[in-house]
Amino acid sequence: MPRHYLALLLALFGHFFVLHGQEKYTLSGTVSEASSNESLIGVTVAISELKTGTTTNEYGFYSITLPEGEYQVIVSYLGFQEVVETITLDQNVKQDFNLVEKTEQLQEVVVTDDVEKLDIKKPQMSVASLASNTIKKIPVVLGESDVIKSLVLLPGVTSAGEASSGFNVRGGAADQNLILLDEAIVFNSSHLFGFFSVFNPDAIKDVKLFKGGIPARYGGRVSSVLEIFQKEGNSKEFKVNGGIGAVASRLLIEGPIQKDRTAFLIGGRASYAHLFLPLFDVDNKAYFYDLNAKINHKINDNNNVFLSGYFGRDLFNVSDRFVNVYGNGVGNFRWNHLFSDKLFSNLSLIYSDYYYGLELDFVGFEWNSGIQNFNVKYDLKHYLSNTLQLNYGINSIYYVFNPGKIVPNSPDSGIVEEQLTKKYANENAAYVDVEHEITNNLSIQYGLRASQFSRLGQDEFFVYENDNPVEFDPFTLTYREAEPIDTISPGRGGTLESFFNLEPRISMSYTFKDNNSIKASYTRLAQYLHLLSNTSSPTPLDVWTPSGPFVKPQLLDQFAAGYFRNIQDGVYSLETEVFYKTIQNRIDYIDGANLIANDAIEQVILNGEARAYGLELLLRKNEGRFTGWLAYTLSRSEQRTPGRDLGLDTGRSNLETGINLGEWYSTPYDKTHDLSLYGNFELNEKWSFNANFIYQTGQPTNYPIGQFEFEELTVPYYGLRNKERLPDYHRLDISAILTPKRNKGRKVQSEWVFSIYNAYNRQNAASINFRENEDTGRNEAVRTSIFGIIPSVTYNFKF
């Protein structure tokens, strides 16, 4: 063996002997906010002598194992005063820390990981996070703070347009995002068809968006995970805060039931713009309301329980002849248990419901549909050492899909009550995830998730010739719905189809010169649910359907690599990433597909594939009177559905034409260039100013490429899918926040937020339609825009 290899092995052995020959003890505890006992997520607990440390988990718990000795422990979190304490470890020590905010601000500064060296060392990458005070400052339409619209200012995240539901991550569809509110699945994240999100910023404690390198504890979607935790409630004193805006108001109350042991939180929002419509002789209505509630109780030092819930509804009414009601309801009971100073567990019992209802008075019926799920999760975090942490757990979800029920709304309507066939499914998973610091410079996070999905039996199931629900006509080169040859009733006790997938994950980080690191990750994910939507932006009417005999689960493989740097001790930070991902079994629709009230949706679906790749850049300024960021994404998102083998002996090609002739085409959410610029300037204690500028390549669309005459009607015809684009999108938003000086020393604090959305009145195209000009007889393009310039004023208060 060469001498230098032998010397290296001896050195490593000596290092191991020194570390492991010493007695070791564990320092553990929780970190919370001093004024409320609210636990803090992602707080850095650093040991200066060893240049090591850890961060708190989702419930504020930390644990670190060290050799016997005396250490200086530094506890730091963005927006809070740093705590430095000397602790002697000659036995296991439980030490809780309470952090005090640096300044008493109206905005709660309780979200986001601190920006410092330890973040550089973490293998976790492709994570977007925003502080709640930043979310509240970003100018948005109608002056209402919005989590989703704030996230789209970060690289890799876009929306389908103004007043559009959902968001897109790295070229993925909106249904490929897993949205969790206190661990409960939210199926529709929008109020008023996309004007607002369902998340009340006053009630939010932590926001994280995982775009890649997704830990093994998450699964079920192939694009991203948006994880949102609600605040727990103030267990020290009663607090009230809220706001009054132009179209909606909100109020949040929190306080102790039993001081330092039991706390509650209840918050609500409601819009009221519809109340003024009768003044303008308008008989329509459009409004929303929602409610957030939470109770937490500390049983003892080792046990805490939480009960949280959310309920929201939207109503859209056109002269009482067309009534649309939809919304989410979720509930979660959680039990945190500390087995030891090294083993933390969380048990969750979760219920989630999404409801969609229509009442069509002019045709005489009501329509009700939705999806429900019941979820049991058990997660454990094991702190084996200060360099090795183990996460593992199981979860099981039971789904009930109601594609629609038609009910007559009057005895003489002539409508017959009909229930479309309900679908049922089970999704089970087990995972293990390891966070491993190999050396001071090299850290790895690796894990494996095993998922199993069963499409359960149902009352009626269609059978097709050759198991093919979609037929291809080789003469007309078109697809059409196949006629069932039989209908069976397998019953709910059986299983129609089962799927099993192994989903490995690995992320790694190599640090050099303390402030620089390179990271890489590979992620495999399986998605068993599909949203049936033939629009670029999901609507509440879209229907979820499970994988089964004719619809396969989507499978993602994503690779990402990046360079990260903290500049001037974290005053600035630079993040760059490249990614490439492929998705198998991405559904596509035959031309003329009918997705609404379709009891045989498999007749209009084909399985295809998708891919996306790109470059992301994020430059932040994190400290000082001026803060903000520049975000840029260069990307491509494509999809294709090649033809199937006809199996004919014709001497010619046996392939069908597929969708779009089997060629790759841009997805509706493909944005080649996406640039966002956000800035906040604190002029003084009284005034602060904010602005954001957005530029995006126009989204793909279809324009007519010609027309023909048929029985004195002019009929347009279209070419290949998504060959054209809408005009590029851009706008500037600005706001000013006034905090009156008289607030100083007063119990009641307040602020005024003045904002202008789309400051230079850009008429961005939501769509372009073509029509014949009645005067000239010539064809013309008509641009439809949602918003022009919109000023607004919001009054926020807290006491």
Side-chain angles (χ1 to χ4, degrees), residues 408-694:
N409 63 0
S410 64
D412 55 351
S413 67
I415 301 295
V416 178
E417 182 173 321
E418 180 182 3
Q419 170 69 62
L420 300 183
T421 303
K422 289 186 176 181
K423 302 177 178 67
Y424 307 89
N426 254 63
E427 183 175 352
N428 305 297
Y431 75 91
V432 60
D433 207 16
V434 182
E435 300 174 39
H436 195 179
E437 185 178 328
I438 307 295
T439 69
N440 285 335
N441 300 96
L442 179 63
S443 297
I444 300 179
Q445 182 172 338
Y446 48 92
L448 179 67
R449 181 182 183 88
S451 60
Q452 185 271 339
F453 187 85
S454 296
R455 172 73 177 274
L456 304 178
Q458 58 194 54
D459 294 337
E460 290 185 340
F461 185 77
F462 294 130
V463 179
Y464 301 90
E465 186 176 357
N466 300 322
D467 285 334
N468 185 8
V470 182
E471 293 180 345
F472 178 75
D473 189 334
F475 300 102
T476 62
L477 303 180
T478 57
Y479 290 93
R480 63 189 178 207
E481 303 171 10
E483 289 292 331
I485 59 174
D486 195 7
T487 301
I488 61 175
S489 299
R492 292 175 55 183
T495 300
L496 296 175
E497 188 84 27
S498 290
F499 305 93
F500 177 80
N501 285 286
L502 292 176
E503 306 171 35
R505 325 280 172 87
I506 184 169
S507 302
M508 58 188 303
S509 170
Y510 181 78
T511 308
F512 54 97
K513 296 182 181 179
D514 287 337
N515 287 320
N516 300 266
S517 68
I518 53 175
K519 300 184 182 184
S521 67
Y522 165 73
T523 306
R524 184 173 179 85
L525 288 159
Q527 177 171 337
Y528 299 101
L529 306 188
H530 310 265
L531 183 65
L532 303 176
S533 174
N534 54 9
T535 61
S536 59
S537 171
T539 69
L541 189 56
D542 298 332
V543 177
W544 289 85
T545 192
S547 297
F550 306 114
V551 184
K552 299 178 182 178
Q554 301 177 65
L555 300 175
L556 164 102
D557 292 284
Q558 177 172 253
F559 301 87
Y563 168 71
F564 303 81
R565 182 177 182 182
N566 278 338
I567 305 168
Q568 296 182 10
D569 287 333
V571 175
Y572 299 88
S573 59
L574 174 67
E575 304 175 29
T576 59
E577 291 190 41
V578 292
F579 68 89
Y580 179 82
K581 65 182 185 181
T582 60
I583 299 175
Q584 304 174 44
N585 305 323
R586 178 60 183 164
I587 59 175
D588 208 341
Y589 311 103
I590 65 175
D591 291 333
N594 175 29
L595 305 180
I596 308 302
N598 190 337
D599 215 6
I601 203 68
E602 66 273 6
Q603 296 176 344
V604 295
I605 291 178
L606 294 174
N607 289 301
E609 59 182 326
R611 67 185 181 190
Y613 46 91
L615 164 70
E616 297 174 356
L617 170 70
L618 178 62
L619 177 63
R620 286 181 182 263
K621 186 175 186 299
N622 303 297
E623 300 177 21
R625 294 174 65 189
F626 176 77
T627 57
W629 65 80
L630 169 67
Y632 173 70
T633 306
L634 173 67
S635 64
R636 189 74 184 269
S637 174
E638 299 175 306
Q639 183 172 339
R640 76 165 177 172
T641 304
R644 302 167 300 183
D645 192 333
L646 290 170
L648 302 176
D649 186 17
T650 62
R652 297 177 297 172
S653 172
N654 281 333
L655 289 180
E656 303 171 348
T657 57
I659 302 297
N660 211 60
L661 301 179
E663 299 295 325
W664 290 99
Y665 68 91
S666 297
T667 62
Y669 23 87
D670 175 55
K671 307 280 181 71
T672 307
H673 301 282
D674 181 14
L675 174 71
S676 300
L677 183 63
Y678 168 75
N680 165 249
F681 180 66
E682 301 288 341
L683 179 64
N684 50 42
E685 292 183 0
K686 188 175 180 180
W687 285 99
S688 67
F689 300 91
N690 302 271
N692 55 259
F693 174 77
I694 297 175

Side-chain angles (χ1 to χ4, degrees), residues 216-245:
R217 66 181 181 271
Y218 302 108
R221 302 292 187 276
V222 295
S223 192
S224 74
V225 177
L226 175 60
E227 184 178 50
I228 298 177
F229 284 98
Q230 297 185 107
K231 294 166 63 179
E232 296 165 4
N234 193 319
S235 65
K236 287 189 174 294
E237 57 182 340
F238 285 93
K239 292 285 186 180
V240 177
N241 66 285
I244 302 172

